[in-house]
Amino acid sequence: MGNYKELLVWQKSVHFVTEIYTCTKNFPKEEIYALTNQIRRSAVSIPSNIAEGHSRRSTLDYIQFLKIARGSCAELETQLIISRNLNYLSLENFQKLSEATSEIAKMLNAIITKLQSNPNP
């Protein structure tokens, strides 16, 4: 199975967390413990669950953690839409972050599908 740090989806999601922090640093101060915090936690959850699941060394556990990471993508997408609706994110940043979220979710889907069809890689 190798090291989770070698996984492109993990690398992209770690980079994505950095982008999320950059884009949310100018959110209103009253959102620091609400939407800002929730967005950041959802983003951090993605590479964290990939790493934890991979480290379990059980295909079934790994799939479950990948599904949790995929769920965090959906949660994050919802939070980004809310942020855009509140004009906390520019249209450009919203589109960039939404596209990255979608790409990561697709990558997770591909890994999940592959592992489910071949549980003993």
Side-chain angles (χ1 to χ4, degrees):
M1 278 172 64
N3 187 312
Y4 66 87
K5 293 177 193 171
E6 296 170 4
L7 295 169
L8 184 58
V9 69
W10 180 86
Q11 294 168 6
K12 283 185 178 282
S13 60
V14 167
H15 176 72
F16 179 63
V17 171
T18 306
E19 290 182 35
I20 287 288
Y21 269 76
T22 300
C23 289
T24 59
K25 73 180 176 186
N26 293 321
F27 275 27
K29 294 297 176 212
E30 67 265 15
E31 291 291 351
I32 194 71
Y33 298 111
L35 194 55
T36 305
N37 183 46
Q38 193 62 37
I39 288 170
R40 290 175 175 184
R41 289 169 52 106
S42 296
V44 168
S45 174
I46 299 166
S48 299
N49 277 294
I50 295 167
E52 184 173 354
H54 192 275
S55 297
R56 294 286 177 112
R57 298 292 185 199
S58 157
T59 301
L60 290 178
D61 284 346
Y62 187 28
I63 291 169
Q64 183 60 32
F65 278 90
L66 292 173
K67 288 179 179 180
I68 293 168
R70 184 180 60 190
S72 293
C73 287
E75 182 181 359
L76 180 57
E77 184 176 27
T78 300
Q79 295 156 359
L80 293 174
I81 291 168
I82 293 166
S83 298
R84 176 65 193 134
N85 289 347
L86 294 169
N87 292 314
Y88 295 167
L89 283 173
S90 68
L91 181 58
E92 179 184 337
N93 282 338
F94 171 74
Q95 289 175 332
K96 176 179 70 170
L97 295 174
S98 291
E99 288 170 11
T101 304
S102 179
E103 179 183 9
I104 291 167
K106 287 176 185 175
M107 293 173 81
L108 290 168
N109 280 334
I111 296 169
I112 291 166
T113 300
K114 183 175 180 175
L115 290 172
Q116 287 175 330
S117 66
N118 184 14
N120 298 311

